Amino acid sequence: MSAPHLLPTALPAPLPAAATTEQLEALARDLRAAGLTPLRSAGELEGLSADAFVYSPVLQPLLQGQRAQIGVRPGQRDQLPAIAAACARHGVSLTLRGAGTGNYGQCVPLAGGLVLDVSGLNRLLDLDPATGVFTAEPGLLLGELELQLQRRGREPRLLPSTVRSASLGGFLAGGSGGIGSLRWGFLRDPGHLLGLEIVTVEPEPRRLQLAAAAARPLNHAYGCNGILSTIRMASAAAVPWQQLVLEFTSWDAALAAGQQLPASALLLQELCLLEAPLAALMPWPQGCPPADGGAHRLLLLAAPEGLPVLEGWLPELGGTLCWQAPQRESRGIPLRELCWNHTTLHARSRASGWTYLQLMLPQPEGPALAALRRRWGDDLLWHLEGVRSFGAQRLACLPLVRWRDHTALEELISQARSLGCLLFNPHVLTVEDGGLGVVDADQVAAKAAYDPAGLLNPGKLRGWLER
Ligand SMILES: Cc1cc2nc3c(=O)[nH]c(=O)nc-3n(C[C@H](O)[C@H](O)[C@H](O)COP(=O)(O)OP(=O)(O)OC[C@H]3O[C@@H](n4cnc5c(N)ncnc54)[C@H](O)[C@@H]3O)c2cc1C
């Protein structure tokens, strides 16, 4: 049975018209007057307009070819108001861009206009040694943030598997969680984001300091309701994480280990379970034996003091230790670049016909997985991630899905939902459709307050389109 309308077949509507030549010339003049260099070459605009949407065969045809008409890359936060003012004065839409690693076209401009690349705003501004609270500019790369925090005994609580390439602002505005979600939940959980400085998009832009509650509607809003100019967040005490690869010949034992390990007092930062055929598609760190497809692999980041406990527990769990190394001394690919959507990346690099889904599994997980397997066979490969969701340990599933067509994917989504899975759909364009599907009135109200002309990232906030 197919479920219509789960997947987009056209861009959201209504979208504003692309800027006219006159609007663009006036905007470029204002940018130059503010000491900024407008980016206008075809190569630059192409580079500023794409992200990693190719993982979705649904989004790919919709987003391919969407282009910015002009770009700008400021080096100082003080330049943001002039850019916002120029866009507001000339009615040109404005899309923020961090590192462009999002998977749903979050930073792809759907109506042309200006792309504001924040990669030049990349400073760690403050780290309070007593509390670990840090303040940083949005373009700071997460790997660099991690290094700077580690030098002072701290580390980010949450990181995407794209930690080496993604920016802090892009993660906050476009990401959701990842490494650390086992322990810390997701970015939108209260307590991670402590404050923001934002710039509004108006002829006379305001620079506002928002405390945690007021900042919340801008968290995971795809840059639709304000330009983030500084970000204040909590960090964690740094841990010298140990990487472990465990092997299980029985899927049931591997799944049970994935449920039991997070329910222990072991300090774990990441738990990723890959079923055997998927493990066989992955590259492995130097010194770790390649997977031959015979065993399921459970990847862990664990604090060192827990290792003797784990070793003693493993025979009872039905697993064996295949490889172990400290994360900081890892050679070759680190384990954290085999989990979350890096699993999808590596599988796709072996065969581009794979795409994926993002599900929170019902508890117990086994029956839903078995029912999906019965219907879809080897069109699905299991990739599970341990997460904390609303304070409870859960297993999320990012299955690799063999792409057939829209109808098959919609049928799979419908079946997963009917089995009690919660879907975070990676094949949609709006903030709401990729989340719980409902409009967040606070996000829309923030847009009305900070972007009254609706110029920021047009088309991505469904609540704004449906007002
Ligand atoms: C292989 C792979 C693995 C991934 N793994 C994960 C994962 O583990 N967890 C996860 O959450 N995501 C993951 N992602 C998605 C993505 O990499 C992350 O969400 C990343 O943090 C996005 O950062 P970015 O700098 O690339 O953001 P971009 O893609 O540049 O932007 C993301 C959104 O943020 C907005 N934005 C950027 N800067 C600002 C600003 N200053 N003000 C307002 N809005 C702004 C943009 O407009 C856009 O809507 C993965 C992607 C890939 C390709």
Side-chain angles (χ1 to χ4, degrees), residues 112-139:
L114 176 108
V115 165
L116 197 180
D117 175 342
V118 299
S119 58
L121 312 179
N122 54 14
R123 298 156 195 92
L124 176 63
L125 302 170
D126 183 53
L127 170 63
D128 181 335
T131 61
V133 171
F134 67 89
T135 306
E137 292 182 332

PDB file of all heavy atoms in Angstrom, residues 112-139:
ATOM      1  N   GLY A 112      17.409  31.639  -5.600  1.00  0.00           N
ATOM      2  CA  GLY A 112      18.546  32.481  -5.986  1.00  0.00           C
ATOM      3  C   GLY A 112      18.957  33.379  -4.837  1.00  0.00           C
ATOM      4  O   GLY A 112      19.043  32.961  -3.689  1.00  0.00           O
ATOM      5  N   GLY A 113      19.212  34.650  -5.154  1.00  0.00           N
ATOM      6  CA  GLY A 113      19.577  35.620  -4.124  1.00  0.00           C
ATOM      7  C   GLY A 113      21.011  35.462  -3.660  1.00  0.00           C
ATOM      8  O   GLY A 113      21.873  34.926  -4.379  1.00  0.00           O
ATOM      9  N   LEU A 114      21.263  35.920  -2.440  1.00  0.00           N
ATOM     10  CA  LEU A 114      22.625  35.970  -1.908  1.00  0.00           C
ATOM     11  C   LEU A 114      22.892  34.780  -0.992  1.00  0.00           C
ATOM     12  O   LEU A 114      22.034  34.420  -0.185  1.00  0.00           O
ATOM     13  CB  LEU A 114      22.795  37.254  -1.089  1.00  0.00           C
ATOM     14  CG  LEU A 114      24.146  37.393  -0.395  1.00  0.00           C
ATOM     15  CD1 LEU A 114      25.007  38.460  -1.068  1.00  0.00           C
ATOM     16  CD2 LEU A 114      24.001  37.751   1.076  1.00  0.00           C
ATOM     17  N   VAL A 115      24.070  34.196  -1.133  1.00  0.00           N
ATOM     18  CA  VAL A 115      24.533  33.224  -0.132  1.00  0.00           C
ATOM     19  C   VAL A 115      25.621  33.881   0.696  1.00  0.00           C
ATOM     20  O   VAL A 115      26.583  34.431   0.155  1.00  0.00           O
ATOM     21  CB  VAL A 115      25.023  31.909  -0.781  1.00  0.00           C
ATOM     22  CG1 VAL A 115      25.815  31.084   0.225  1.00  0.00           C
ATOM     23  CG2 VAL A 115      23.835  31.090  -1.259  1.00  0.00           C
ATOM     24  N   LEU A 116      25.404  33.860   2.011  1.00  0.00           N
ATOM     25  CA  LEU A 116      26.357  34.457   2.952  1.00  0.00           C
ATOM     26  C   LEU A 116      27.162  33.317   3.567  1.00  0.00           C
ATOM     27  O   LEU A 116      26.633  32.531   4.352  1.00  0.00           O
ATOM     28  CB  LEU A 116      25.565  35.208   4.031  1.00  0.00           C
ATOM     29  CG  LEU A 116      26.250  36.241   4.903  1.00  0.00           C
ATOM     30  CD1 LEU A 116      25.249  36.845   5.881  1.00  0.00           C
ATOM     31  CD2 LEU A 116      27.479  35.805   5.603  1.00  0.00           C
ATOM     32  N   ASP A 117      28.403  33.212   3.165  1.00  0.00           N
ATOM     33  CA  ASP A 117      29.299  32.147   3.636  1.00  0.00           C
ATOM     34  C   ASP A 117      29.998  32.655   4.900  1.00  0.00           C
ATOM     35  O   ASP A 117      30.736  33.643   4.844  1.00  0.00           O
ATOM     36  CB  ASP A 117      30.297  31.860   2.503  1.00  0.00           C
ATOM     37  CG  ASP A 117      31.373  30.869   2.885  1.00  0.00           C
ATOM     38  OD1 ASP A 117      31.593  30.644   4.091  1.00  0.00           O
ATOM     39  OD2 ASP A 117      32.016  30.328   1.966  1.00  0.00           O
ATOM     40  N   VAL A 118      29.759  31.981   6.032  1.00  0.00           N
ATOM     41  CA  VAL A 118      30.298  32.490   7.302  1.00  0.00           C
ATOM     42  C   VAL A 118      31.644  31.863   7.669  1.00  0.00           C
ATOM     43  O   VAL A 118      32.099  32.004   8.802  1.00  0.00           O
ATOM     44  CB  VAL A 118      29.291  32.296   8.470  1.00  0.00           C
ATOM     45  CG1 VAL A 118      27.998  33.049   8.221  1.00  0.00           C
ATOM     46  CG2 VAL A 118      29.024  30.826   8.736  1.00  0.00           C
ATOM     47  N   SER A 119      32.288  31.185   6.706  1.00  0.00           N
ATOM     48  CA  SER A 119      33.514  30.449   7.073  1.00  0.00           C
ATOM     49  C   SER A 119      34.638  31.362   7.575  1.00  0.00           C
ATOM     50  O   SER A 119      35.552  30.908   8.261  1.00  0.00           O
ATOM     51  CB  SER A 119      34.007  29.598   5.892  1.00  0.00           C
ATOM     52  OG  SER A 119      34.246  30.420   4.779  1.00  0.00           O
ATOM     53  N   GLY A 120      34.547  32.677   7.243  1.00  0.00           N
ATOM     54  CA  GLY A 120      35.580  33.599   7.737  1.00  0.00           C
ATOM     55  C   GLY A 120      35.348  34.031   9.186  1.00  0.00           C
ATOM     56  O   GLY A 120      36.212  34.677   9.786  1.00  0.00           O
ATOM     57  N   LEU A 121      34.185  33.708   9.732  1.00  0.00           N
ATOM     58  CA  LEU A 121      33.879  34.073  11.128  1.00  0.00           C
ATOM     59  C   LEU A 121      34.143  32.833  11.966  1.00  0.00           C
ATOM     60  O   LEU A 121      33.239  32.032  12.210  1.00  0.00           O
ATOM     61  CB  LEU A 121      32.420  34.524  11.257  1.00  0.00           C
ATOM     62  CG  LEU A 121      31.942  35.541  10.212  1.00  0.00           C
ATOM     63  CD1 LEU A 121      30.487  35.887  10.418  1.00  0.00           C
ATOM     64  CD2 LEU A 121      32.817  36.801  10.250  1.00  0.00           C
ATOM     65  N   ASN A 122      35.389  32.646  12.364  1.00  0.00           N
ATOM     66  CA  ASN A 122      35.784  31.321  12.845  1.00  0.00           C
ATOM     67  C   ASN A 122      36.611  31.360  14.124  1.00  0.00           C
ATOM     68  O   ASN A 122      37.524  30.555  14.298  1.00  0.00           O
ATOM     69  CB  ASN A 122      36.552  30.589  11.736  1.00  0.00           C
ATOM     70  CG  ASN A 122      37.709  31.417  11.223  1.00  0.00           C
ATOM     71  OD1 ASN A 122      38.085  32.409  11.861  1.00  0.00           O
ATOM     72  ND2 ASN A 122      38.271  31.019  10.103  1.00  0.00           N
ATOM     73  N   ARG A 123      36.249  32.280  15.009  1.00  0.00           N
ATOM     74  CA  ARG A 123      37.061  32.400  16.233  1.00  0.00           C
ATOM     75  C   ARG A 123      36.346  31.826  17.446  1.00  0.00           C
ATOM     76  O   ARG A 123      35.130  31.999  17.586  1.00  0.00           O
ATOM     77  CB  ARG A 123      37.381  33.873  16.504  1.00  0.00           C
ATOM     78  CG  ARG A 123      38.202  34.505  15.375  1.00  0.00           C
ATOM     79  CD  ARG A 123      38.057  36.014  15.306  1.00  0.00           C
ATOM     80  NE  ARG A 123      38.569  36.517  14.032  1.00  0.00           N
ATOM     81  CZ  ARG A 123      37.828  36.701  12.936  1.00  0.00           C
ATOM     82  NH1 ARG A 123      36.529  36.432  12.929  1.00  0.00           N
ATOM     83  NH2 ARG A 123      38.363  37.142  11.817  1.00  0.00           N
ATOM     84  N   LEU A 124      37.139  31.190  18.301  1.00  0.00           N
ATOM     85  CA  LEU A 124      36.642  30.855  19.638  1.00  0.00           C
ATOM     86  C   LEU A 124      36.849  32.116  20.462  1.00  0.00           C
ATOM     87  O   LEU A 124      37.972  32.597  20.611  1.00  0.00           O
ATOM     88  CB  LEU A 124      37.440  29.684  20.231  1.00  0.00           C
ATOM     89  CG  LEU A 124      37.071  29.311  21.672  1.00  0.00           C
ATOM     90  CD1 LEU A 124      35.635  28.828  21.766  1.00  0.00           C
ATOM     91  CD2 LEU A 124      38.020  28.232  22.207  1.00  0.00           C
ATOM     92  N   LEU A 125      35.775  32.687  20.987  1.00  0.00           N
ATOM     93  CA  LEU A 125      35.862  34.003  21.623  1.00  0.00           C
ATOM     94  C   LEU A 125      36.128  33.890  23.113  1.00  0.00           C
ATOM     95  O   LEU A 125      36.778  34.749  23.708  1.00  0.00           O
ATOM     96  CB  LEU A 125      34.565  34.784  21.388  1.00  0.00           C
ATOM     97  CG  LEU A 125      34.207  35.001  19.909  1.00  0.00           C
ATOM     98  CD1 LEU A 125      32.807  35.566  19.778  1.00  0.00           C
ATOM     99  CD2 LEU A 125      35.229  35.938  19.250  1.00  0.00           C
ATOM    100  N   ASP A 126      35.597  32.833  23.721  1.00  0.00           N
ATOM    101  CA  ASP A 126      35.711  32.746  25.175  1.00  0.00           C
ATOM    102  C   ASP A 126      35.488  31.313  25.627  1.00  0.00           C
ATOM    103  O   ASP A 126      34.671  30.591  25.042  1.00  0.00           O
ATOM    104  CB  ASP A 126      34.638  33.662  25.809  1.00  0.00           C
ATOM    105  CG  ASP A 126      34.747  33.682  27.318  1.00  0.00           C
ATOM    106  OD1 ASP A 126      35.860  33.954  27.813  1.00  0.00           O
ATOM    107  OD2 ASP A 126      33.745  33.397  28.004  1.00  0.00           O
ATOM    108  N   LEU A 127      36.233  30.903  26.655  1.00  0.00           N
ATOM    109  CA  LEU A 127      35.967  29.625  27.318  1.00  0.00           C
ATOM    110  C   LEU A 127      36.115  29.866  28.806  1.00  0.00           C
ATOM    111  O   LEU A 127      37.189  30.249  29.282  1.00  0.00           O
ATOM    112  CB  LEU A 127      36.958  28.549  26.848  1.00  0.00           C
ATOM    113  CG  LEU A 127      36.923  27.241  27.648  1.00  0.00           C
ATOM    114  CD1 LEU A 127      35.579  26.542  27.519  1.00  0.00           C
ATOM    115  CD2 LEU A 127      38.036  26.302  27.181  1.00  0.00           C
ATOM    116  N   ASP A 128      35.014  29.682  29.526  1.00  0.00           N
ATOM    117  CA  ASP A 128      35.047  29.904  30.971  1.00  0.00           C
ATOM    118  C   ASP A 128      35.655  28.660  31.617  1.00  0.00           C
ATOM    119  O   ASP A 128      35.054  27.576  31.560  1.00  0.00           O
ATOM    120  CB  ASP A 128      33.607  30.141  31.462  1.00  0.00           C
ATOM    121  CG  ASP A 128      33.553  30.397  32.957  1.00  0.00           C
ATOM    122  OD1 ASP A 128      34.473  29.954  33.676  1.00  0.00           O
ATOM    123  OD2 ASP A 128      32.588  31.025  33.410  1.00  0.00           O
ATOM    124  N   PRO A 129      36.852  28.785  32.226  1.00  0.00           N
ATOM    125  CA  PRO A 129      37.516  27.591  32.758  1.00  0.00           C
ATOM    126  C   PRO A 129      36.734  26.958  33.908  1.00  0.00           C
ATOM    127  O   PRO A 129      36.847  25.756  34.151  1.00  0.00           O
ATOM    128  CB  PRO A 129      38.879  28.114  33.254  1.00  0.00           C
ATOM    129  CG  PRO A 129      38.749  29.598  33.340  1.00  0.00           C
ATOM    130  CD  PRO A 129      37.603  30.021  32.473  1.00  0.00           C
ATOM    131  N   ALA A 130      35.920  27.740  34.591  1.00  0.00           N
ATOM    132  CA  ALA A 130      35.197  27.188  35.745  1.00  0.00           C
ATOM    133  C   ALA A 130      34.006  26.344  35.294  1.00  0.00           C
ATOM    134  O   ALA A 130      33.759  25.267  35.832  1.00  0.00           O
ATOM    135  CB  ALA A 130      34.726  28.324  36.650  1.00  0.00           C
ATOM    136  N   THR A 131      33.285  26.812  34.277  1.00  0.00           N
ATOM    137  CA  THR A 131      32.047  26.117  33.877  1.00  0.00           C
ATOM    138  C   THR A 131      32.183  25.342  32.567  1.00  0.00           C
ATOM    139  O   THR A 131      31.335  24.502  32.262  1.00  0.00           O
ATOM    140  CB  THR A 131      30.920  27.141  33.663  1.00  0.00           C
ATOM    141  OG1 THR A 131      31.341  28.035  32.604  1.00  0.00           O
ATOM    142  CG2 THR A 131      30.639  27.934  34.927  1.00  0.00           C
ATOM    143  N   GLY A 132      33.199  25.659  31.780  1.00  0.00           N
ATOM    144  CA  GLY A 132      33.331  25.026  30.469  1.00  0.00           C
ATOM    145  C   GLY A 132      32.422  25.642  29.418  1.00  0.00           C
ATOM    146  O   GLY A 132      32.363  25.165  28.284  1.00  0.00           O
ATOM    147  N   VAL A 133      31.704  26.700  29.763  1.00  0.00           N
ATOM    148  CA  VAL A 133      30.831  27.350  28.777  1.00  0.00           C
ATOM    149  C   VAL A 133      31.709  28.115  27.782  1.00  0.00           C
ATOM    150  O   VAL A 133      32.626  28.834  28.190  1.00  0.00           O
ATOM    151  CB  VAL A 133      29.848  28.314  29.484  1.00  0.00           C
ATOM    152  CG1 VAL A 133      29.085  29.155  28.457  1.00  0.00           C
ATOM    153  CG2 VAL A 133      28.877  27.518  30.349  1.00  0.00           C
ATOM    154  N   PHE A 134      31.425  27.924  26.498  1.00  0.00           N
ATOM    155  CA  PHE A 134      32.238  28.620  25.496  1.00  0.00           C
ATOM    156  C   PHE A 134      31.359  29.472  24.590  1.00  0.00           C
ATOM    157  O   PHE A 134      30.160  29.214  24.439  1.00  0.00           O
ATOM    158  CB  PHE A 134      33.078  27.634  24.664  1.00  0.00           C
ATOM    159  CG  PHE A 134      32.277  26.735  23.766  1.00  0.00           C
ATOM    160  CD1 PHE A 134      31.948  27.121  22.469  1.00  0.00           C
ATOM    161  CD2 PHE A 134      31.848  25.492  24.210  1.00  0.00           C
ATOM    162  CE1 PHE A 134      31.214  26.286  21.639  1.00  0.00           C
ATOM    163  CE2 PHE A 134      31.105  24.648  23.389  1.00  0.00           C
ATOM    164  CZ  PHE A 134      30.785  25.046  22.106  1.00  0.00           C
ATOM    165  N   THR A 135      31.988  30.486  24.017  1.00  0.00           N
ATOM    166  CA  THR A 135      31.308  31.352  23.047  1.00  0.00           C
ATOM    167  C   THR A 135      32.177  31.379  21.792  1.00  0.00           C
ATOM    168  O   THR A 135      33.400  31.564  21.886  1.00  0.00           O
ATOM    169  CB  THR A 135      31.153  32.786  23.599  1.00  0.00           C
ATOM    170  OG1 THR A 135      30.511  32.694  24.872  1.00  0.00           O
ATOM    171  CG2 THR A 135      30.321  33.652  22.680  1.00  0.00           C
ATOM    172  N   ALA A 136      31.549  31.175  20.658  1.00  0.00           N
ATOM    173  CA  ALA A 136      32.336  31.100  19.415  1.00  0.00           C
ATOM    174  C   ALA A 136      31.555  31.698  18.260  1.00  0.00           C
ATOM    175  O   ALA A 136      30.329  31.831  18.321  1.00  0.00           O
ATOM    176  CB  ALA A 136      32.680  29.641  19.117  1.00  0.00           C
ATOM    177  N   GLU A 137      32.294  32.020  17.218  1.00  0.00           N
ATOM    178  CA  GLU A 137      31.666  32.483  15.986  1.00  0.00           C
ATOM    179  C   GLU A 137      31.128  31.271  15.212  1.00  0.00           C
ATOM    180  O   GLU A 137      31.625  30.146  15.373  1.00  0.00           O
ATOM    181  CB  GLU A 137      32.679  33.261  15.150  1.00  0.00           C
ATOM    182  CG  GLU A 137      33.071  34.586  15.808  1.00  0.00           C
ATOM    183  CD  GLU A 137      34.046  35.407  14.977  1.00  0.00           C
ATOM    184  OE1 GLU A 137      34.828  34.823  14.187  1.00  0.00           O
ATOM    185  OE2 GLU A 137      34.026  36.639  15.123  1.00  0.00           O
ATOM    186  N   PRO A 138      30.130  31.509  14.340  1.00  0.00           N
ATOM    187  CA  PRO A 138      29.434  30.373  13.726  1.00  0.00           C
ATOM    188  C   PRO A 138      30.268  29.578  12.716  1.00  0.00           C
ATOM    189  O   PRO A 138      30.036  28.395  12.521  1.00  0.00           O
ATOM    190  CB  PRO A 138      28.240  31.031  13.027  1.00  0.00           C
ATOM    191  CG  PRO A 138      28.647  32.453  12.810  1.00  0.00           C
ATOM    192  CD  PRO A 138      29.527  32.800  13.964  1.00  0.00           C
ATOM    193  N   GLY A 139      31.252  30.230  12.098  1.00  0.00           N
ATOM    194  CA  GLY A 139      31.998  29.530  11.052  1.00  0.00           C
ATOM    195  C   GLY A 139      33.147  28.687  11.585  1.00  0.00           C
ATOM    196  O   GLY A 139      33.858  28.034  10.799  1.00  0.00           O
TER     197      GLY A 139
END
